[in-house]
Amino acid sequence: MAKLVAFIGSPSSGKTTLALKTAMAAYMDKRTKNSRIVFLSPDINVPSVAVLFPNYVPDEICSLGVILDNTDISVDMLLKNIVTVKTMKDFGCLGFKSGESKFSYPTPTDDKISDLFNALSEIADYIFVDCTDRTDDKISKRALTSADVVFRVMSADPKGITWYSSNKNMGRVENEDIFNIVTVLDKDVFTSTEEVCSSIHSVLAIIPYLKGIRQQMIDGRLYDHLSDKAYDKKIKTIISKILISEELE
C-alpha cells in the first residue's frame, strides 16, 4: 500500500515547490531507493503542469481532468498519461494544464476520487499531494483525511501566521502526524523568523530562501536537483518524519 504524504499551506508560501522538492529528494534518498513516486497536484486555479513543465509541448501532456473525466480510472490509463521526467524513470506528476478552470470538467464524484487513489496506490510506493485549502477540492480533502503524515507550510510573514491561526484544527494529532514548516521567501529575507515561530505551536523546519530555486522556476526546470547543504538538510528532516510514520505502522 502506498504511503500518502500531504502538503497544505498558506497562499504564496512556496508549498508546491517544497512538496515537489521533498518528493524528488525522497526519490533520490538511499532509504527509499528504487521507490516509485507520484507527485499529485489537484489545484486547477493555478495548474501545476504549466508551472512545472512549461517547456513541454501542451498537446503531449495529459491533464488530471481528462483522467477524472473517464468512466474508469485504471492503472494502465495512469501509466500512459502520467507526466514523467526523463532523468527519473520512476517519478511521475499529475495535475491540470494551463488554460483549464473549474468549468473545464464536471466535478468528480467521491467514487471517482477513490478510484484515482486506488489506482495510484497500485503504481506508486509514495504519493505526495500538493493540497489546496478549497472546500470544493475533493482530492485534497481525501488526501488530508487519509494521509499518513501532513506537512502544514506557512510563509514567514503576517499572512502565514493568520493562515495558521485559521487552520489549526485539521482533525489530526499535532506533532504526531501533522508538522509545521516555515518558509523564508524572497520578500521575507529580513523578517524575524523567531517572531513568526513563536506564534506557532511547534516548527519542524525553517526552509531558507534560495535564489537558485527562483531561477529554476524562470527556466522551467523546477524538477532539477539544486545542491545546497542547508536546504538539503531541512528536506532530509522532512523525509525522516515520513519514514518514521512508516516505521510506526
Side-chain angles (χ1 to χ4, degrees):
M1 189 70 178
K3 301 300 173 185
L4 186 57
V5 183
F7 284 76
I8 189 168
S10 61
S12 303
S13 63
K15 167 181 61 72
T16 297
T17 297
L18 180 62
L20 177 67
K21 291 297 186 184
T22 303
M24 289 173 51
Y27 174 84
M28 294 183 286
D29 196 291
K30 291 187 292 185
R31 295 168 292 178
T32 51
K33 190 176 181 180
N34 298 322
S35 293
R36 298 163 299 176
I37 292 176
V38 170
F39 177 78
L40 173 63
S41 178
D43 192 350
I44 198 167
N45 290 336
V46 184
S48 63
V49 171
V51 175
L52 302 180
F53 305 100
N55 300 323
Y56 281 40
V57 179
D59 291 342
E60 296 179 355
I61 296 177
C62 180
S63 168
L64 175 60
V66 172
I67 293 174
L68 290 170
D69 202 29
N70 271 269
T71 304
D72 298 308
I73 299 178
S74 66
V75 169
D76 286 342
M77 178 194 296
L78 289 181
L79 290 175
K80 288 178 182 178
N81 293 296
I82 198 166
V83 185
T84 57
V85 179
K86 292 180 180 179
T87 56
M88 298 186 286
K89 66 175 183 177
D90 291 321
F91 186 96
C93 301
L94 281 175
F96 292 98
K97 295 165 58 173
S98 179
E100 296 181 328
S101 72
K102 63 180 180 179
F103 302 109
S104 300
Y105 305 100
T107 301
T109 63
D110 292 335
D111 288 342
K112 190 64 69 68
I113 301 300
S114 293
D115 290 343
L116 173 65
F117 277 100
N118 289 338
L120 285 172
S121 293
E122 290 191 47
I123 69 171
D125 298 300
Y126 295 89
I127 304 169
F128 287 76
V129 186
D130 174 26
C131 298
T132 72
D133 55 6
R134 298 198 327 269
T135 56
D136 62 341
D137 181 359
K138 293 184 177 181
I139 296 178
S140 292
K141 187 177 293 186
R142 168 66 182 269
L144 290 169
T145 302
S146 307
D148 296 284
V149 58
V150 176
F151 296 101
R152 182 166 46 199
V153 185
M154 62 219 79
S155 52
D157 58 13
K159 183 191 296 183
I161 296 174
T162 301
W163 180 88
Y164 168 75
S165 299
S166 301
N167 289 271
K168 282 183 180 179
N169 185 11
M170 296 178 61
R172 303 181 69 95
V173 182
E174 190 92 7
N175 289 337
E176 288 188 16
D177 61 359
I178 179 168
F179 301 93
N180 297 317
I181 298 173
V182 173
T183 55
V184 178
L185 306 177
D186 184 11
K187 61 185 177 60
D188 300 319
V189 171
F190 300 106
T191 300
S192 173
T193 52
E194 290 80 8
E195 181 180 345
V196 172
C197 292
S198 67
S199 304
I200 300 170
H201 177 65
S202 179
V203 177
L204 171 66
I206 299 174
I207 307 300
Y209 167 69
L210 274 188
K211 201 174 195 177
I213 288 182
R214 177 64 60 84
Q215 189 60 49
Q216 283 186 339
M217 293 186 70
I218 295 172
D219 297 338
R221 307 287 300 183
L222 197 56
Y223 45 83
D224 283 353
H225 176 64
L226 184 64
S227 182
D228 182 277
K229 289 184 178 180
Y231 188 86
D232 290 345
K233 184 177 180 180
K234 300 295 185 179
I235 298 296
K236 286 181 179 179
T237 298
I238 298 173
I239 293 175
S240 293
K241 293 301 179 182
I242 297 170
L243 299 182
I244 288 173
S245 172
E246 181 175 304
E247 293 166 0
L248 290 175
E249 294 183 354

